[in-house]
Amino acid sequence: MQGLHLTADLRGCPPGLPAMTDPAALRALCVSAVAHAGLHAVGELFHRFQPAPGQPEDSAGVTGVVLLAESHLAVHTWPELAAVTLDVYVCNLGQDNSARAEALMATLQQAFEATETEGHRLQRGGLCLAPPS
């Protein structure tokens, strides 16, 4: 399967951003960014973790996944570290979705206002095996 896999590690993200600690805010951001990029959500799950002992209730991070017709988006926030990791993978079966993946990643990176970003780009599926006969 031909596809593009993008990852980004964001540092220096303002911990007070709603999407850092609120599953509903992260969901709204992700679903909107997916639609804006021209990709198609087919399912989702968002989960807020419990805060560390002695920490405020709203200090815990959130993990979110949006299943896409084209593959997936995963976001993990660590407000206590002012960090976020992003993972966007799209298949290119039938059409090249690479520009859509890049647009989705750019929207999310901008939304988290990171002071430092480390990104990686991996072309997947270079070896296509023949289907079993």
Side-chain angles (χ1 to χ4, degrees), residues 48-129:
R48 189 179 91 195
F49 292 93
Q50 293 299 312
Q55 296 299 310
E57 187 64 28
D58 65 350
S59 66
V62 180
T63 288
V65 178
V66 179
L67 302 177
L68 304 174
E70 300 83 5
S71 199
H72 72 263
L73 160 67
V75 181
H76 311 282
T77 72
W78 287 274
E80 69 276 21
L81 301 175
V84 174
T85 60
L86 304 172
D87 183 319
V88 175
Y89 177 54
V90 295
C91 300
N92 289 328
L93 182 64
Q95 68 179 3
D96 186 353
N97 290 303
S98 299
R100 290 176 181 89
E102 297 277 4
L104 175 56
M105 181 63 81
T107 297
L108 292 172
Q109 286 179 343
Q110 183 177 18
F112 283 106
E113 303 175 19
T115 59
E116 183 182 337
T117 301
E118 179 183 337
H120 298 277
R121 177 186 179 98
L122 175 65
Q123 292 292 334
R124 299 191 64 185
L127 296 176
C128 292
L129 303 176

Side-chain angles (χ1 to χ4, degrees), residues 18-19 22-31 46 62-64 75-77 112:
D22 179 4
L26 182 60
R27 179 196 174 277
L29 170 63
C30 290
V31 170
F46 291 83
V62 180
T63 288
V75 181
H76 311 282
T77 72
F112 283 106

Side-chain angles (χ1 to χ4, degrees), residues 20-45:
M20 292 291 285
T21 57
D22 179 4
L26 182 60
R27 179 196 174 277
L29 170 63
C30 290
V31 170
S32 174
V34 163
H36 182 73
L39 296 168
H40 305 91
V42 297
E44 61 190 54
L45 180 62

Side-chain angles (χ1 to χ4, degrees), residues 3-19:
L4 177 62
H5 198 157
L6 303 172
T7 63
D9 297 339
L10 311 181
R11 295 175 191 84
C13 301
L17 291 174

